[in-house]
Amino acid sequence: MMLNRFSRFPLPALMVAGLLTAVSCGTTYELPDTGGAYSDEAARLFAEARQSPPPKTLSRSAAEARFARVEPRVMRAGRETCLRLKTGVNCNVDIAIDREMDERNAYFTYKNGQPIIRISLPLIQDTGSDDEVAFVLAHEYGHLIGRHVEKQQQQVLAGALIGGALAGIVGDSGDAVGIGMGVGASAGGIVYSQSYELESDTLGTRIAYDAGYDPVEGAKFFARSEAARGSGGGYSIWGTHPPDRRRVATVLATKAQIDGQVGLRNAN
């Protein structure tokens, strides 16, 4: 009788269950509670930023100077945070301006095994303060500490395998399995993206603060309307990011933890 029950689930289905369990990890660190007063204050700051005129676009030389002021302090604070948390990753990040990128963007990735953070000059030109550049760079440093690249790669791989296994359940066509793997890879790559962004905001708030900047002022960069972010267009960096208001609330809640001397907590 038991054998008959299990015979209804072919091997690929058991593989799917195992893979889903294997990639069900979320953030490394606990995200702060953003409800109540933090949500209300975020809504107020959000509305205020939306009503404010856009900052004056910086000249290229002024943007270069802003980056030169901010980068060493964020790099030091990020490295110290990374080492203190004993993440096991290479904490020595190469932070620089991507001079070939015309769009307003910033990103973290690995190049030949070396962690790098890149920010475009047009994005810096649209910032209203050193605090805003510091928060963007600190947020990207948070992706390293949260090991988000590695986790995303695992999820993409598992998503591809899950998609292929599911296609195999409904038919043995090689084309069906291939299509299933493609769909699974796409789904696997985005399943935790917003959680990772909020974790990076949490870590970035602490890094920016330790670097001597105001993370709440820095987060206002995300609250301004698209029109107030400059005349050059939108930001592709925001494509997978959570709603801006929730990001501001996350920064406010994390700053309150800092003021209350509450450290990072590992996620359960």
Side-chain angles (χ1 to χ4, degrees), residues 19 22-25 148-165 178-193 196:
L19 286 168
V23 299
S24 60
C25 58
H148 296 157
V149 169
E150 295 89 337
K151 290 181 180 180
Q152 288 288 79
Q153 288 173 341
Q154 291 170 0
Q155 289 162 0
V156 168
L157 175 59
L161 293 174
I162 290 169
I179 293 171
M181 290 185 71
V183 172
S186 298
I190 64 171
V191 65
Y192 289 117
S193 61
Y196 290 165

Side-chain angles (χ1 to χ4, degrees), residues 3-104:
L3 289 175
N4 289 337
R5 287 180 62 192
F6 278 105
S7 66
R8 297 174 56 195
F9 298 91
L11 181 59
L14 298 179
M15 290 171 55
V16 169
L19 286 168
L20 285 172
T21 300
V23 299
S24 60
C25 58
T27 60
T28 302
Y29 303 100
E30 187 177 286
L31 301 179
D33 181 3
T34 57
Y38 302 123
S39 180
D40 293 342
E41 178 64 6
R44 186 189 69 77
L45 290 175
F46 193 82
E48 182 180 275
R50 288 297 172 101
Q51 294 170 2
S52 300
K56 182 180 178 181
T57 300
L58 294 176
S59 66
R60 292 179 66 89
S61 61
E64 296 263 11
R66 173 165 286 173
F67 175 81
R69 288 193 301 271
V70 172
E71 182 270 335
R73 294 167 61 176
V74 172
M75 182 169 63
R76 174 191 55 77
R79 184 174 184 276
E80 290 177 353
T81 299
C82 181
L83 292 172
R84 184 172 64 251
L85 293 174
K86 299 179 179 179
T87 59
V89 300
N90 180 359
C91 297
N92 298 309
V93 182
D94 176 21
I95 306 176
I97 296 173
D98 186 333
R99 301 183 185 281
E100 297 180 359
M101 183 165 53
D102 294 328
E103 65 188 23
R104 289 154 172 78

